[in-house]
Amino acid sequence: MTDLSADSREPPGLVRMRRLATGLLLLMTVVFIVTHVWAPDDTLWLEVWGYVRAFAEAAMVGGLADWFAVSALFRRPLGLPIPHTAVIPRNQARIADAVGRFLADNFLKAELVAERVKDKDLSEGLGKWLADPQQSGALASELVSAVPTLLDTFDDDTVAAFLRQQAGEAAEGARVAPAFRSVLEALAEQGRHQAILDALLRHGYRLLEENEYMIRARVRERSGWLMRFVSADRKVADTVIDAVADLLHDVALDRHHPLREKLNDFVLKFADDLRDDPVLQQRIAGWLREAAAQPTVAGAVEAGWAEFKASLRRDCASPQGRLRGWLEDALVNLGAGLLREPKVHEALNARVRALLVDLADRHGADVASLVSETIRSWDTRTIVSKLEANVGQDLQFIRLNGTVIGGMVGLLLHAGAELMTG
Protein backbone atom coordinates (compact mmCIF):
# COMPACT_ATOMS: atom_id res chain seq x y z
CA MET A 1 0.00 0.00 0.00
CA THR A 2 1.29 3.42 -0.88
CA ASP A 3 1.76 5.66 2.16
CA LEU A 4 1.02 9.26 1.31
CA SER A 5 1.05 10.56 4.87
CA ALA A 6 4.24 12.58 4.57
CA ASP A 7 2.55 15.41 6.45
CA SER A 8 -0.21 14.26 8.82
CA ARG A 9 -0.92 17.72 10.23
CA GLU A 10 -4.39 19.04 9.51
CA PRO A 11 -4.76 22.48 7.89
CA PRO A 12 -5.27 25.26 10.48
CA GLY A 13 -8.47 26.35 8.71
CA LEU A 14 -9.98 22.87 9.10
CA VAL A 15 -9.06 22.71 12.78
CA ARG A 16 -10.52 26.16 13.39
CA MET A 17 -13.79 25.40 11.60
CA ARG A 18 -14.17 22.04 13.35
CA ARG A 19 -13.72 23.69 16.74
CA LEU A 20 -16.21 26.39 15.81
CA ALA A 21 -18.86 23.88 14.65
CA THR A 22 -18.31 21.67 17.69
CA GLY A 23 -18.33 24.67 20.01
CA LEU A 24 -21.64 25.90 18.60
CA LEU A 25 -23.14 22.43 19.00
CA LEU A 26 -21.95 22.27 22.62
CA LEU A 27 -23.34 25.77 23.24
CA MET A 28 -26.76 24.73 21.94
CA THR A 29 -26.59 21.63 24.12
CA VAL A 30 -25.85 23.73 27.21
CA VAL A 31 -28.71 26.14 26.35
CA PHE A 32 -31.03 23.19 25.81
CA ILE A 33 -30.16 21.76 29.22
CA VAL A 34 -30.41 25.13 30.98
CA THR A 35 -33.83 25.89 29.45
CA HIS A 36 -35.15 22.55 30.68
CA VAL A 37 -33.83 22.67 34.24
CA TRP A 38 -34.60 26.31 34.93
CA ALA A 39 -37.34 28.70 33.80
CA PRO A 40 -38.11 32.34 34.71
CA ASP A 41 -41.13 33.21 36.86
CA ASP A 42 -42.30 36.10 34.71
CA THR A 43 -44.96 35.06 32.20
CA LEU A 44 -43.59 37.20 29.36
CA TRP A 45 -40.06 35.91 29.83
CA LEU A 46 -41.45 32.40 30.10
CA GLU A 47 -42.86 32.71 26.58
CA VAL A 48 -39.51 34.00 25.32
CA TRP A 49 -37.85 31.14 27.18
CA GLY A 50 -39.95 28.71 25.18
CA TYR A 51 -38.64 30.13 21.92
CA VAL A 52 -35.05 29.89 23.21
CA ARG A 53 -35.60 26.29 24.23
CA ALA A 54 -37.15 25.42 20.85
CA PHE A 55 -34.25 27.07 19.01
CA ALA A 56 -31.64 25.27 21.12
CA GLU A 57 -33.38 21.92 20.80
CA ALA A 58 -33.78 22.09 17.05
CA ALA A 59 -30.26 23.52 16.60
CA MET A 60 -28.83 20.68 18.66
CA VAL A 61 -30.73 18.12 16.59
CA GLY A 62 -29.65 19.76 13.31
CA GLY A 63 -26.03 20.02 14.46
CA LEU A 64 -25.95 16.40 15.64
CA ALA A 65 -27.51 15.20 12.38
CA ASP A 66 -24.99 17.06 10.25
CA TRP A 67 -22.11 15.95 12.50
CA PHE A 68 -23.27 12.37 11.98
CA ALA A 69 -23.58 12.86 8.21
CA VAL A 70 -20.14 14.47 7.87
CA SER A 71 -18.46 11.93 10.12
CA ALA A 72 -20.14 9.01 8.34
CA LEU A 73 -18.37 10.00 5.12
CA PHE A 74 -14.94 9.32 6.59
CA ARG A 75 -15.39 7.00 9.58
CA ARG A 76 -17.86 5.23 11.85
CA PRO A 77 -19.32 7.82 14.27
CA LEU A 78 -18.16 7.00 17.80
CA GLY A 79 -16.78 3.73 16.41
CA LEU A 80 -20.25 2.18 16.24
CA PRO A 81 -20.90 -0.35 13.42
CA ILE A 82 -23.79 1.64 12.00
CA PRO A 83 -24.78 0.60 8.44
CA HIS A 84 -23.81 2.89 5.57
CA THR A 85 -21.15 4.77 7.53
CA ALA A 86 -17.41 5.11 6.74
CA VAL A 87 -18.57 5.60 3.16
CA ILE A 88 -15.20 6.55 1.65
CA PRO A 89 -13.07 3.80 3.27
CA ARG A 90 -15.62 1.09 2.43
CA ASN A 91 -16.01 2.23 -1.18
CA GLN A 92 -12.41 3.10 -2.00
CA ALA A 93 -12.26 0.66 -4.91
CA ARG A 94 -15.56 1.90 -6.35
CA ILE A 95 -14.45 5.52 -5.95
CA ALA A 96 -11.16 4.70 -7.70
CA ASP A 97 -13.01 3.16 -10.65
CA ALA A 98 -15.42 6.10 -10.77
CA VAL A 99 -12.59 8.65 -10.85
CA GLY A 100 -10.85 6.69 -13.60
CA ARG A 101 -14.04 6.47 -15.68
CA PHE A 102 -14.71 10.18 -15.11
CA LEU A 103 -11.25 11.10 -16.46
CA ALA A 104 -11.57 8.73 -19.39
CA ASP A 105 -15.07 9.86 -20.36
CA ASN A 106 -14.67 13.62 -19.83
CA PHE A 107 -11.03 14.43 -20.51
CA LEU A 108 -9.15 11.65 -22.31
CA LYS A 109 -11.39 10.70 -25.22
CA ALA A 110 -9.76 11.40 -28.57
CA GLU A 111 -12.76 13.29 -29.98
CA LEU A 112 -12.98 15.50 -26.89
CA VAL A 113 -9.27 16.31 -27.03
CA ALA A 114 -9.52 17.05 -30.76
CA GLU A 115 -12.45 19.41 -30.15
CA ARG A 116 -10.64 21.27 -27.37
CA VAL A 117 -7.35 21.77 -29.22
CA LYS A 118 -8.60 22.41 -32.76
CA ASP A 119 -8.63 26.18 -32.32
CA LYS A 120 -5.76 26.43 -29.85
CA ASP A 121 -2.58 28.11 -31.09
CA LEU A 122 -0.24 25.95 -29.05
CA SER A 123 2.97 26.90 -30.83
CA GLU A 124 2.37 30.63 -30.41
CA GLY A 125 2.01 30.27 -26.66
CA LEU A 126 5.11 28.09 -26.54
CA GLY A 127 7.03 30.50 -28.80
CA LYS A 128 6.17 33.55 -26.69
CA TRP A 129 7.12 31.73 -23.52
CA LEU A 130 10.46 30.53 -24.88
CA ALA A 131 11.28 33.85 -26.55
CA ASP A 132 11.22 35.54 -23.16
CA PRO A 133 14.85 35.37 -21.93
CA GLN A 134 13.70 35.26 -18.33
CA GLN A 135 11.55 32.19 -18.94
CA SER A 136 14.15 30.47 -21.10
CA GLY A 137 16.85 31.29 -18.57
CA ALA A 138 14.79 29.77 -15.77
CA LEU A 139 14.10 26.65 -17.84
CA ALA A 140 17.77 26.35 -18.81
CA SER A 141 18.79 26.68 -15.15
CA GLU A 142 16.35 23.95 -14.14
CA LEU A 143 17.62 21.62 -16.87
CA VAL A 144 21.28 22.30 -16.02
CA SER A 145 20.66 21.83 -12.29
CA ALA A 146 19.29 18.36 -13.04
CA VAL A 147 22.45 17.27 -14.87
CA PRO A 148 24.59 16.49 -11.76
CA THR A 149 21.75 14.41 -10.32
CA LEU A 150 21.50 12.57 -13.62
CA LEU A 151 25.26 11.94 -13.59
CA ASP A 152 24.98 10.50 -10.08
CA THR A 153 22.64 7.82 -11.39
CA PHE A 154 25.39 6.43 -13.64
CA ASP A 155 27.77 3.87 -12.22
CA ASP A 156 31.28 4.71 -13.45
CA ASP A 157 32.35 1.09 -13.91
CA THR A 158 29.17 0.25 -15.79
CA VAL A 159 29.53 3.27 -18.09
CA ALA A 160 33.21 2.50 -18.77
CA ALA A 161 32.37 -1.13 -19.57
CA PHE A 162 29.55 0.03 -21.85
CA LEU A 163 31.86 2.42 -23.72
CA ARG A 164 34.47 -0.30 -24.17
CA GLN A 165 31.80 -2.69 -25.43
CA GLN A 166 30.51 -0.10 -27.88
CA ALA A 167 34.03 0.55 -29.08
CA GLY A 168 34.53 -3.18 -29.58
CA GLU A 169 31.26 -3.54 -31.49
CA ALA A 170 32.05 -0.47 -33.57
CA ALA A 171 35.36 -2.06 -34.48
CA GLU A 172 33.65 -4.64 -36.67
CA GLY A 173 35.16 -4.33 -40.10
CA ALA A 174 31.79 -4.41 -41.82
CA ARG A 175 30.87 -1.24 -39.89
CA VAL A 176 34.13 0.66 -39.73
CA ALA A 177 35.37 0.01 -43.24
CA PRO A 178 32.39 1.57 -45.11
CA ALA A 179 32.47 4.60 -42.85
CA PHE A 180 36.21 5.00 -43.34
CA ARG A 181 35.70 4.55 -47.09
CA SER A 182 33.12 7.35 -47.15
CA VAL A 183 35.55 9.65 -45.33
CA LEU A 184 38.34 8.87 -47.78
CA GLU A 185 36.11 9.43 -50.80
CA ALA A 186 34.89 12.75 -49.42
CA LEU A 187 38.47 13.85 -48.78
CA ALA A 188 39.53 12.79 -52.27
CA GLU A 189 36.60 14.56 -53.97
CA GLN A 190 37.40 17.81 -52.18
CA GLY A 191 41.17 17.44 -52.47
CA ARG A 192 41.50 17.59 -48.70
CA HIS A 193 43.82 14.58 -48.61
CA GLN A 194 46.43 16.77 -50.35
CA ALA A 195 46.65 18.86 -47.18
CA ILE A 196 47.59 15.68 -45.32
CA LEU A 197 50.28 15.00 -47.95
CA ASP A 198 51.60 18.57 -47.61
CA ALA A 199 51.94 18.08 -43.86
CA LEU A 200 53.72 14.79 -44.41
CA LEU A 201 56.08 16.41 -46.93
CA ARG A 202 56.99 19.17 -44.49
CA HIS A 203 57.56 16.63 -41.77
CA GLY A 204 59.61 14.47 -44.15
CA TYR A 205 61.80 17.40 -45.15
CA ARG A 206 62.46 18.21 -41.50
CA LEU A 207 63.28 14.57 -40.75
CA LEU A 208 65.68 14.53 -43.69
CA GLU A 209 67.54 17.57 -42.35
CA GLU A 210 67.66 16.18 -38.82
CA ASN A 211 68.90 12.73 -39.90
CA GLU A 212 71.47 13.51 -42.61
CA TYR A 213 74.20 12.05 -40.44
CA MET A 214 72.42 8.67 -40.36
CA ILE A 215 72.19 8.56 -44.16
CA ARG A 216 75.86 9.45 -44.50
CA ALA A 217 76.81 6.79 -41.93
CA ARG A 218 74.81 4.10 -43.75
CA VAL A 219 76.31 5.01 -47.14
CA ARG A 220 79.82 4.95 -45.66
CA GLU A 221 79.18 1.53 -44.06
CA ARG A 222 78.11 0.06 -47.38
CA SER A 223 80.89 1.65 -49.44
CA GLY A 224 84.12 -0.15 -50.21
CA TRP A 225 87.47 0.97 -48.83
CA LEU A 226 88.42 2.46 -52.17
CA MET A 227 85.34 4.71 -52.27
CA ARG A 228 85.98 5.79 -48.71
CA PHE A 229 89.62 6.41 -49.58
CA VAL A 230 88.72 8.79 -52.42
CA SER A 231 85.76 10.24 -50.45
CA ALA A 232 83.31 8.99 -53.05
CA ASP A 233 80.95 7.86 -50.26
CA ARG A 234 80.43 11.51 -49.29
CA LYS A 235 79.49 12.42 -52.83
CA VAL A 236 77.05 9.49 -53.00
CA ALA A 237 75.48 10.51 -49.67
CA ASP A 238 75.20 14.12 -50.82
CA THR A 239 73.58 12.95 -54.04
CA VAL A 240 71.04 10.78 -52.22
CA ILE A 241 70.18 13.53 -49.73
CA ASP A 242 69.89 16.16 -52.45
CA ALA A 243 67.75 13.87 -54.62
CA VAL A 244 65.32 13.14 -51.80
CA ALA A 245 65.18 16.84 -50.83
CA ASP A 246 64.52 17.84 -54.46
CA LEU A 247 61.80 15.22 -54.79
CA LEU A 248 60.08 16.45 -51.64
CA HIS A 249 60.41 20.03 -52.80
CA ASP A 250 58.99 19.29 -56.26
CA VAL A 251 56.06 17.31 -54.91
CA ALA A 252 55.30 20.07 -52.39
CA LEU A 253 55.24 22.80 -55.06
CA ASP A 254 53.63 20.96 -57.96
CA ARG A 255 49.91 20.25 -57.37
CA HIS A 256 49.94 17.98 -60.44
CA HIS A 257 53.08 16.03 -59.68
CA PRO A 258 52.91 12.37 -60.72
CA LEU A 259 53.35 11.28 -57.10
CA ARG A 260 50.28 13.29 -56.15
CA GLU A 261 48.32 11.62 -58.95
CA LYS A 262 49.49 8.24 -57.68
CA LEU A 263 48.35 9.24 -54.20
CA ASN A 264 44.87 10.02 -55.59
CA ASP A 265 44.75 6.64 -57.28
CA PHE A 266 45.92 4.92 -54.11
CA VAL A 267 43.30 6.64 -51.95
CA LEU A 268 40.47 5.76 -54.33
CA LYS A 269 41.67 2.15 -54.69
CA PHE A 270 41.99 1.81 -50.93
CA ALA A 271 38.44 3.18 -50.53
CA ASP A 272 37.14 0.59 -53.02
CA ASP A 273 39.01 -2.17 -51.18
CA LEU A 274 37.41 -1.07 -47.92
CA ARG A 275 34.03 -1.61 -49.54
CA ASP A 276 34.70 -4.82 -51.48
CA ASP A 277 37.60 -6.62 -49.80
CA PRO A 278 36.39 -8.74 -46.82
CA VAL A 279 39.97 -9.69 -45.95
CA LEU A 280 40.93 -6.02 -45.54
CA GLN A 281 37.78 -5.38 -43.56
CA GLN A 282 38.56 -8.23 -41.16
CA ARG A 283 42.15 -7.08 -40.84
CA ILE A 284 41.05 -3.56 -39.87
CA ALA A 285 38.51 -5.01 -37.43
CA GLY A 286 41.24 -7.12 -35.85
CA TRP A 287 43.52 -4.11 -35.43
CA LEU A 288 40.76 -2.11 -33.79
CA ARG A 289 39.72 -4.97 -31.49
CA GLU A 290 43.29 -5.48 -30.38
CA ALA A 291 43.64 -1.76 -29.73
CA ALA A 292 40.37 -1.63 -27.77
CA ALA A 293 41.45 -4.59 -25.63
CA GLN A 294 44.66 -2.90 -24.52
CA PRO A 295 44.69 -1.90 -20.82
CA THR A 296 45.90 1.55 -21.78
CA VAL A 297 42.82 2.05 -23.98
CA ALA A 298 40.52 0.87 -21.17
CA GLY A 299 42.24 3.25 -18.77
CA ALA A 300 41.91 6.07 -21.27
CA VAL A 301 38.18 5.39 -21.62
CA GLU A 302 37.67 5.43 -17.83
CA ALA A 303 39.81 8.54 -17.40
CA GLY A 304 37.98 10.26 -20.25
CA TRP A 305 34.59 9.51 -18.69
CA ALA A 306 35.74 10.73 -15.27
CA GLU A 307 37.14 13.94 -16.74
CA PHE A 308 33.97 14.48 -18.77
CA LYS A 309 31.82 14.16 -15.62
CA ALA A 310 34.08 16.47 -13.63
CA SER A 311 34.12 19.09 -16.39
CA LEU A 312 30.37 18.91 -16.82
CA ARG A 313 29.83 19.30 -13.07
CA ARG A 314 32.09 22.35 -12.95
CA ASP A 315 30.29 23.90 -15.89
CA CYS A 316 26.86 23.24 -14.36
CA ALA A 317 27.96 24.73 -11.03
CA SER A 318 29.06 27.98 -12.67
CA PRO A 319 26.40 30.71 -13.19
CA GLN A 320 28.22 31.58 -16.42
CA GLY A 321 28.59 27.96 -17.53
CA ARG A 322 28.73 27.24 -21.24
CA LEU A 323 25.98 24.63 -21.13
CA ARG A 324 23.63 27.02 -19.34
CA GLY A 325 24.34 29.82 -21.82
CA TRP A 326 24.04 27.52 -24.83
CA LEU A 327 20.72 26.11 -23.62
CA GLU A 328 19.31 29.55 -22.89
CA ASP A 329 20.31 30.88 -26.33
CA ALA A 330 18.95 27.76 -28.03
CA LEU A 331 15.60 28.03 -26.25
CA VAL A 332 15.25 31.76 -26.99
CA ASN A 333 16.13 31.16 -30.66
CA LEU A 334 13.63 28.31 -30.80
CA GLY A 335 10.87 30.53 -29.41
CA ALA A 336 11.75 33.39 -31.77
CA GLY A 337 11.82 30.96 -34.69
CA LEU A 338 8.35 29.68 -33.85
CA LEU A 339 6.99 33.22 -33.84
CA ARG A 340 8.92 34.34 -36.92
CA GLU A 341 8.25 31.43 -39.28
CA PRO A 342 4.53 31.00 -40.11
CA LYS A 343 5.08 27.66 -41.85
CA VAL A 344 6.94 26.22 -38.88
CA HIS A 345 4.31 27.74 -36.61
CA GLU A 346 1.43 26.02 -38.41
CA ALA A 347 3.32 22.77 -38.93
CA LEU A 348 4.09 22.52 -35.21
CA ASN A 349 0.47 23.31 -34.34
CA ALA A 350 -0.76 20.54 -36.63
CA ARG A 351 1.73 18.03 -35.27
CA VAL A 352 1.12 18.87 -31.62
CA ARG A 353 -2.65 18.66 -32.07
CA ALA A 354 -2.32 15.33 -33.85
CA LEU A 355 0.08 14.10 -31.16
CA LEU A 356 -2.29 15.05 -28.34
CA VAL A 357 -5.22 13.35 -30.05
CA ASP A 358 -3.13 10.27 -30.76
CA LEU A 359 -1.88 10.11 -27.17
CA ALA A 360 -5.43 10.41 -25.87
CA ASP A 361 -6.61 7.72 -28.26
CA ARG A 362 -3.82 5.28 -27.48
CA HIS A 363 -3.14 5.96 -23.82
CA GLY A 364 -6.28 7.60 -22.41
CA ALA A 365 -7.57 4.31 -21.04
CA ASP A 366 -4.10 3.54 -19.64
CA VAL A 367 -3.97 6.88 -17.82
CA ALA A 368 -7.45 6.35 -16.37
CA SER A 369 -6.48 2.85 -15.29
CA LEU A 370 -3.27 4.18 -13.71
CA VAL A 371 -5.28 6.76 -11.73
CA SER A 372 -7.69 4.08 -10.56
CA GLU A 373 -4.92 1.69 -9.54
CA THR A 374 -3.06 4.47 -7.75
CA ILE A 375 -6.14 5.41 -5.70
CA ARG A 376 -6.73 1.73 -4.95
CA SER A 377 -3.17 1.39 -3.65
CA TRP A 378 -3.41 4.30 -1.23
CA ASP A 379 -3.55 3.54 2.47
CA THR A 380 -7.16 3.92 3.67
CA ARG A 381 -6.35 6.21 6.58
CA THR A 382 -4.20 8.33 4.33
CA ILE A 383 -6.82 8.84 1.63
CA VAL A 384 -9.40 9.72 4.33
CA SER A 385 -7.07 12.27 5.90
CA LYS A 386 -6.18 13.74 2.49
CA LEU A 387 -9.80 14.12 1.41
CA GLU A 388 -10.84 15.52 4.79
CA ALA A 389 -7.97 18.01 4.68
CA ASN A 390 -9.11 19.25 1.25
CA VAL A 391 -12.91 19.35 1.68
CA GLY A 392 -13.25 19.15 5.45
CA GLN A 393 -13.41 22.92 5.95
CA ASP A 394 -16.48 23.17 3.72
CA LEU A 395 -18.03 20.19 5.50
CA GLN A 396 -17.63 21.96 8.83
CA PHE A 397 -19.56 24.88 7.31
CA ILE A 398 -22.34 22.36 6.68
CA ARG A 399 -22.34 21.51 10.39
CA LEU A 400 -22.52 25.22 11.27
CA ASN A 401 -25.34 25.79 8.78
CA GLY A 402 -27.18 22.72 10.03
CA THR A 403 -27.02 23.98 13.61
CA VAL A 404 -28.22 27.49 12.73
CA ILE A 405 -30.87 26.41 10.21
CA GLY A 406 -32.08 23.71 12.58
CA GLY A 407 -32.54 26.35 15.28
CA MET A 408 -34.47 28.60 12.89
CA VAL A 409 -36.73 25.72 11.85
CA GLY A 410 -37.30 25.03 15.55
CA LEU A 411 -38.35 28.65 16.04
CA LEU A 412 -40.81 28.44 13.13
CA LEU A 413 -42.29 25.17 14.40
CA HIS A 414 -42.62 26.57 17.93
CA ALA A 415 -44.24 29.76 16.63
CA GLY A 416 -46.64 27.73 14.50
CA ALA A 417 -47.55 25.55 17.46
CA GLU A 418 -48.18 28.64 19.59
CA LEU A 419 -50.45 30.08 16.93
CA MET A 420 -52.43 26.86 16.59
CA THR A 421 -52.86 26.45 20.35
CA GLY A 422 -53.35 30.16 21.08
Side-chain angles (χ1 to χ4, degrees):
M1 302 289 280
T2 304
D3 186 7
L4 303 178
S5 55
D7 185 3
S8 60
R9 294 175 299 177
E10 294 180 329
L14 172 59
V15 175
R16 185 170 57 253
M17 289 303 303
R18 181 183 292 145
R19 289 174 179 173
L20 182 59
T22 303
L24 182 59
L25 176 59
L26 292 176
L27 176 61
M28 293 298 102
T29 304
V30 170
V31 172
F32 172 76
I33 294 173
V34 169
T35 56
H36 276 77
V37 300
W38 181 80
D41 297 330
D42 186 91
T43 304
L44 178 61
W45 281 106
L46 186 60
E47 292 182 4
V48 174
W49 205 245
Y51 281 93
V52 173
R53 181 189 301 143
F55 182 90
E57 182 178 0
M60 185 178 64
V61 172
L64 282 172
D66 284 339
W67 166 81
F68 180 87
V70 170
S71 298
L73 288 173
F74 302 105
R75 58 188 63 84
R76 289 178 172 177
L78 302 177
L80 300 175
I82 303 172
H84 302 290
T85 57
V87 175
I88 292 174
R90 288 192 306 104
N91 295 278
Q92 181 176 346
R94 187 162 59 86
I95 293 172
D97 292 339
V99 172
R101 286 196 303 272
F102 177 78
L103 288 175
D105 294 340
N106 296 278
F107 294 96
L108 300 176
K109 281 190 174 181
E111 55 270 21
L112 294 176
V113 174
E115 181 65 24
R116 289 186 180 122
V117 302
K118 68 177 183 179
D119 297 324
K120 296 291 188 298
D121 195 345
L122 303 173
S123 63
E124 182 179 7
L126 177 62
K128 288 181 178 178
W129 192 82
L130 290 176
D132 182 358
Q134 185 175 358
Q135 301 292 349
S136 291
L139 178 58
S141 297
E142 290 296 327
L143 293 174
V144 169
S145 65
V147 171
T149 304
L150 180 63
L151 291 176
D152 289 338
T153 63
F154 294 118
D155 178 69
D156 292 343
D157 295 335
T158 302
V159 172
F162 173 77
L163 293 176
R164 290 196 299 271
Q165 179 184 358
Q166 294 303 308
E169 293 178 357
E172 292 297 327
R175 297 182 182 180
V176 174
F180 192 31
R181 165 182 166 268
S182 299
V183 173
L184 289 178
E185 288 181 342
L187 290 174
E189 289 177 1
Q190 300 175 15
R192 299 292 180 85
H193 66 298
Q194 297 292 349
I196 300 176
L197 178 60
D198 291 337
L200 292 174
L201 290 172
R202 288 193 296 271
H203 188 64
Y205 195 81
R206 186 169 58 255
L207 287 175
L208 181 63
E209 289 182 337
E210 294 173 354
N211 296 280
E212 280 189 17
Y213 71 96
M214 294 180 62
I215 298 176
R216 296 183 186 280
R218 289 297 180 89
V219 171
R220 183 173 179 79
E221 290 173 0
R222 299 189 180 193
S223 299
W225 66 270
L226 181 59
M227 292 183 64
R228 290 197 297 271
F229 179 76
V230 297
S231 300
D233 59 314
R234 295 181 182 177
K235 294 181 180 180
V236 172
D238 289 340
T239 302
V240 171
I241 293 171
D242 292 341
V244 173
D246 291 343
L247 177 62
L248 294 176
H249 184 267
D250 291 343
V251 174
L253 293 180
D254 187 1
R255 307 301 295 181
H256 301 286
H257 194 279
L259 283 180
R260 288 185 180 271
E261 299 296 335
K262 289 184 178 181
L263 175 65
N264 287 337
D265 296 339
F266 172 78
V267 169
L268 294 175
K269 183 178 184 305
F270 187 64
D272 290 337
D273 291 341
L274 287 174
R275 179 187 59 192
D276 303 326
D277 190 347
V279 176
L280 180 60
Q281 293 176 0
Q282 292 301 320
R283 189 177 301 168
I284 291 175
W287 293 340
L288 292 175
R289 280 195 299 269
E290 291 176 4
Q294 292 297 319
T296 53
V297 174
V301 170
E302 294 175 0
W305 168 246
E307 178 59 29
F308 170 76
K309 284 181 62 177
S311 299
L312 192 55
R313 288 181 185 278
R314 289 194 298 269
D315 187 78
C316 292
S318 172
Q320 288 79 36
R322 294 183 179 179
L323 179 60
R324 190 186 309 273
W326 178 84
L327 266 178
E328 184 175 350
D329 292 341
L331 292 172
V332 170
N333 290 334
L334 176 61
L338 289 176
L339 297 175
R340 185 176 58 249
E341 300 292 338
K343 292 184 179 179
V344 177
H345 187 96
E346 290 303 321
L348 181 61
N349 270 338
R351 283 171 172 77
V352 171
R353 289 169 188 153
L355 176 62
L356 292 175
V357 173
D358 183 62
L359 288 175
D361 185 43
R362 290 195 296 169
H363 302 293
D366 297 333
V367 173
S369 176
L370 175 63
V371 172
S372 297
E373 292 300 324
T374 301
I375 296 176
R376 283 173 179 269
S377 69
W378 285 348
D379 175 72
T380 302
R381 287 177 297 179
T382 299
I383 189 174
V384 167
S385 64
K386 293 293 182 183
L387 287 173
E388 193 170 14
N390 283 278
V391 301
Q393 189 169 346
D394 293 324
L395 294 177
Q396 300 309 313
F397 269 110
I398 293 177
R399 291 181 57 194
L400 281 172
N401 293 337
T403 304
V404 174
I405 293 174
M408 295 175 66
V409 171
L411 283 178
L412 291 175
L413 291 176
H414 184 73
E418 287 294 319
L419 288 173
M420 287 186 291
T421 59

